[in-house]
Amino acid sequence: MKELENIKSRRSVRTFKPEGIDDKTLKVIQDIVSKKWVGPFGKSYNFTLINLNDENIKELGNLTSYGVIKGANLYLAGSSESDDRSIIDYGYCFEKIILDLNREGISTCWLGGTFGRGFVANALGLESGFIVPAITPIGIKEDKSSITEKLVRTIAQSNKRLDDEKIFFIVEDNLVLPAIWEGLNSKLKGLLEAVKYAPSASNKQPWRILVEFNAIHLFWDKNEKYNASMKNFNIQALDMGIALAHIDSVAKDEGLKGSFVEKYPDINESDWIYINSWVRYL
């Protein structure tokens, strides 16, 4: 499966088969999670699988998802410092794992707000100065979605995507203008689509992309009020990491040579926050 197809095929799953995961599948999960994961800003992460059936974990109490997740007994979690760059790197690495799992037919669901952080912190032995930005249940999708899952997807409008002209832009005479899809470099279109189909907190899709002939500049259209809903970090920074993960994954899959470079484009001052650029080698 091509990586762009993998990205498009992935869905957040909230209802899992209660019989859990067999040993063969668990080994696949462990192999993916145990890889060395490093974000574009250089932060490395070690992620932990939390098995709710483990006796030591049971002693900590119950992991609540406030009724959102059904049937899952295995969760993936990690810890990070709370600055934006660290959270971006966390989101990047976490999404890379999620995409690898999806390729193996293993379902997940980003949880950034609807889980008991105290329980997870205890399970991880969280160090002072660190937070748990997000976790995901891991399992096999139940054939029939729960009523709660259907309701969550409806409220979040999970399948709805912003129009291209609200995401992709070009620069002319230092002015930022909506891009015309047909006029963009065809070599970069797969990377752009990969961002368009990325998951985001409450499906707000806060990424904005300036497209040059051989470069993609990622910006953050930050929703201050929404980010303030999380006391310790900006939750949309995870979305920026997810977008970067999609760009990198599709670029590598399509054989495009390039890398992330901090290269602020030549534009007038913008209300958006510059994140990073992917530049194709000529």
Side-chain angles (χ1 to χ4, degrees):
M1 184 194 304
K2 299 291 288 181
E3 189 63 8
L4 184 56
E5 294 173 6
N6 186 35
I7 287 170
K8 289 183 176 180
S9 71
R10 188 202 159 264
R11 296 289 183 274
S12 293
V13 171
R14 298 170 179 86
T15 311
F16 295 83
K17 290 185 179 294
E19 54 265 34
I21 296 168
D22 59 41
D23 291 342
K24 182 179 179 180
T25 304
L26 181 59
K27 178 62 166 57
V28 171
I29 295 169
Q30 290 171 333
D31 287 346
I32 291 172
V33 172
S34 63
K35 293 178 185 177
K36 184 178 180 179
W37 296 104
V38 181
F41 293 122
K43 295 283 186 177
S44 60
Y45 292 93
N46 296 313
F47 295 98
T48 300
L49 291 169
I50 301 173
N51 189 336
L52 301 186
N53 291 325
D54 186 285
E55 291 301 323
N56 293 326
I57 296 298
K58 285 182 179 179
E59 292 179 3
L60 299 176
N62 296 314
L63 172 57
T64 180
S65 63
Y66 304 100
V68 173
I69 304 301
K70 307 287 185 182
N73 291 309
L74 187 66
Y75 284 78
L76 177 68
S79 62
S80 171
E81 294 171 292
S82 61
D83 61 283
D84 285 345
R85 285 198 168 197
S86 295
I87 300 299
I88 289 169
D89 274 359
Y90 185 99
Y92 174 96
C93 296
F94 210 73
E95 179 68 0
K96 286 274 192 171
I97 293 175
I98 283 176
L99 291 177
D100 282 359
L101 292 173
N102 188 69
R103 186 176 287 277
E104 299 294 336
I106 301 165
S107 296
T108 56
C109 179
W110 274 91
L111 297 178
T114 53
F115 70 93
R117 275 186 161 75
F119 175 94
V120 177
N122 289 333
L124 295 177
L126 192 67
E127 298 178 41
S128 177
F130 284 73
I131 62 169
V132 181
I135 66 171
T136 179
I138 297 177
I140 306 303
K141 182 181 182 295
E142 184 60 276
D143 296 330
K144 187 177 180 180
S145 300
S146 69
I147 294 174
T148 301
E149 177 160 11
K150 292 177 181 177
L151 181 61
V152 170
R153 288 191 66 83
T154 299
I155 292 173
Q157 294 183 304
S158 299
N159 295 324
K160 188 174 180 180
R161 295 288 167 222
L162 292 176
D163 294 334
D164 290 348
E165 60 266 23
K166 294 182 179 180
I167 302 176
F168 307 125
F169 299 84
I170 59 172
V171 180
E172 289 187 3
D173 299 325
N174 290 354
L175 298 177
V176 177
L177 304 173
I180 299 174
W181 183 257
E182 291 76 13
L184 298 176
N185 185 347
S186 61
K187 292 287 187 181
L188 300 181
K189 286 185 176 180
L191 282 62
L192 300 177
E193 277 197 87
V195 175
K196 182 174 181 178
Y197 286 94
S200 59
S202 299
N203 198 30
K204 290 188 177 296
Q205 305 167 61
W207 35 74
R208 302 293 179 263
I209 294 180
L210 295 185
V211 186
E212 294 184 317
F213 183 71
N214 277 305
I216 292 174
H217 306 286
L218 179 66
F219 286 77
W220 176 6
D221 187 9
K222 187 177 180 182
N223 185 319
E224 295 287 355
K225 184 176 180 181
Y226 182 74
N227 282 280
S229 64
M230 301 297 294
K231 294 181 180 180
N232 297 321
F233 73 104
N234 291 311
I235 192 169
Q236 286 185 323
L238 290 171
D239 302 339
M240 297 299 106
I242 293 170
L244 292 175
H246 282 205
I247 290 169
D248 181 71
S249 294
V250 171
K252 289 176 178 175
D253 185 58
E254 294 188 355
L256 297 177
K257 303 298 183 182
S259 64
F260 289 115
V261 179
E262 292 188 64
K263 182 185 177 184
Y264 194 91
D266 187 16
I267 60 172
N268 292 332
E269 187 175 346
S270 171
D271 291 334
W272 304 333
I273 300 171
Y274 174 72
I275 301 300
N276 211 339
S277 302
W278 186 90
V279 179
R280 183 182 174 218
Y281 302 146
L282 296 176

